[in-house]
Amino acid sequence: MLATVATMAAGTVQAKKLATVQDKPVNCDNCKEWNAPVKPFNVFGNTWYVGTAGLSAVLVTSPQGHILLDGALPQSAPLIVANIKALGFRIEDVKVILNSHAHWDHAGGIAALQRASGATVMASAAAGPVLQSGTNGKDDPQYQADPVVHVAKVAKVKVVGEGETVKVGPLTLTAHMTPGHTPGGTTWTWTSCEGQRCLDVVYADSLNPYSSGDFTYTGKGGTPDISASFEASIAKVAALPCDIIIPVHPGTTDVLGKAARRSGTDNPLIDASACRAYAAEAGGLLAKRLAKERGVALPAEAKGAAHAH
């Protein structure tokens, strides 16, 4: 009886703890689809996918502690914690949480995950204030004055700059500033190994030229001209050493489908051309958008249409 009572008490404490993991959810047209749970899986070596069906979150592990990239939606935080546990790891061993960009669909769960883990949150200089305020700044292409979407504020953010590294034990992740989709966009890279085989992994921030209202990338209507910096970000991602790409929206490169098609002798996630293809698609979308803003003929090779987030 005492053992049963103790077990019930422990379960109550755990339930209360998990309840604090999630903050007020965000409602959006795609949120239910994006937040659908998926079974976590190994990408390669010490790199693990712990995100949801439509929003990436990646865990890079070591015996000295782990690094988590992104937190998806506020309502995604409990799923990410559960995925980490399902792989045999503990949220309490996450020492650093990194952010790609501060939109609520990639950063909304970070405050809760920080509370659950006690981790240090790190982001670019432009993204840090957004994480701490809980809403997009007016310089964001997707800024909306009405309604303003607020998510839980991140208590403290440590700023990282271009080329700086983040280390936990043997882990070393490098920040690459890739502004455009947001002012503080950051792509992260590291190396994961299986035995003697080591591969370059790229956690690619969104390069999608999607905006709200009357924002322009060419500086019309009072906004700064950020077209050149956006093009430079795309070129930077194309040039990165890249054996595996995990974009912030996994469907962009069919991460989940490729993982499901793996066999003992073949891993479709390994593709040395994937970053160049990802950048080429983004470049075509941006060229189409810039041509429209400038009122010039569209380049023949620019295909596709930008989509939200």
Side-chain angles (χ1 to χ4, degrees):
M1 179 65 74
L2 289 175
T4 301
V5 172
T7 301
M8 292 175 62
T12 301
V13 171
Q14 180 67 12
K16 288 182 177 179
K17 182 178 180 180
L18 288 176
T20 66
V21 170
Q22 180 177 321
D23 291 308
K24 181 180 178 181
V26 169
N27 295 315
C28 70
D29 292 342
N30 296 319
C31 283
K32 184 176 180 180
E33 178 184 356
W34 282 343
N35 201 48
V38 295
K39 185 178 180 180
F41 58 88
N42 179 252
V43 176
F44 185 84
N46 62 339
T47 297
W48 308 81
Y49 187 90
V50 295
T52 63
L55 300 168
S56 295
V58 173
L59 189 71
V60 189
T61 61
S62 83
Q64 287 75 42
H66 317 316
I67 295 177
L68 176 66
L69 295 101
D70 278 347
L73 293 161
Q75 56 265 44
S76 305
L79 298 176
I80 292 172
V81 171
N83 281 346
I84 290 172
K85 182 178 180 181
L87 292 170
F89 303 111
R90 303 189 325 141
I91 186 65
E92 294 86 354
D93 292 327
V94 173
K95 304 303 181 184
V96 174
I97 299 174
L98 303 177
N99 179 232
S100 57
H101 70 266
H103 284 166
W104 43 260
D105 54 332
H106 304 285
I110 288 179
L113 293 165
Q114 182 186 45
R115 295 196 307 271
S117 63
T120 299
V121 174
M122 305 180 75
S124 67
V130 179
L131 295 176
Q132 291 181 289
S133 70
T135 191
N136 293 349
K138 292 183 178 180
D139 58 346
D140 192 295
Q142 293 184 41
Y143 173 75
Q144 290 179 302
D146 184 26
V148 177
V149 177
H150 289 277
V151 296
K153 299 176 181 179
V154 177
K156 187 177 181 180
V157 179
K158 185 175 181 181
V159 171
V160 292
E162 170 64 31
E164 291 188 20
T165 57
V166 176
K167 297 186 178 183
V168 172
L171 306 178
T172 301
L173 277 68
T174 302
H176 307 269
M177 299 298 109
T178 48
H181 184 72
T182 67
T186 307
T187 292
W188 296 91
T189 62
W190 64 94
T191 301
S192 281
C193 301
E194 290 184 358
Q196 297 300 310
R197 187 186 189 192
C198 296
L199 298 179
D200 293 307
V201 184
V202 176
Y203 187 68
D205 190 26
S206 178
L207 299 174
N208 185 19
Y210 180 85
S211 65
S212 300
D214 57 0
F215 181 92
T216 65
Y217 293 94
T218 54
K220 295 181 178 180
T223 59
D225 185 342
I226 62 170
S227 57
S229 64
F230 203 160
E231 289 169 336
S233 294
I234 293 171
K236 182 183 291 186
V237 171
L240 288 172
C242 175
D243 296 302
I244 296 173
I245 185 173
I246 308 171
V248 294
H249 283 278
T252 309
T253 62
D254 192 27
V255 170
L256 303 185
K258 290 176 180 177
R261 294 194 296 273
R262 284 186 299 184
S263 67
T265 58
D266 180 50
N267 184 352
L269 290 169
I270 302 173
D271 180 358
S273 67
C275 280
R276 294 192 298 274
Y278 180 76
E281 174 69 14
L285 293 174
L286 182 60
K288 183 177 181 180
R289 173 65 185 262
L290 297 181
K292 182 178 180 180
E293 290 183 12
R294 291 167 177 155
V296 300
L298 298 177
E301 68 275 12
K303 299 178 181 180
H307 49 84
H309 300 275

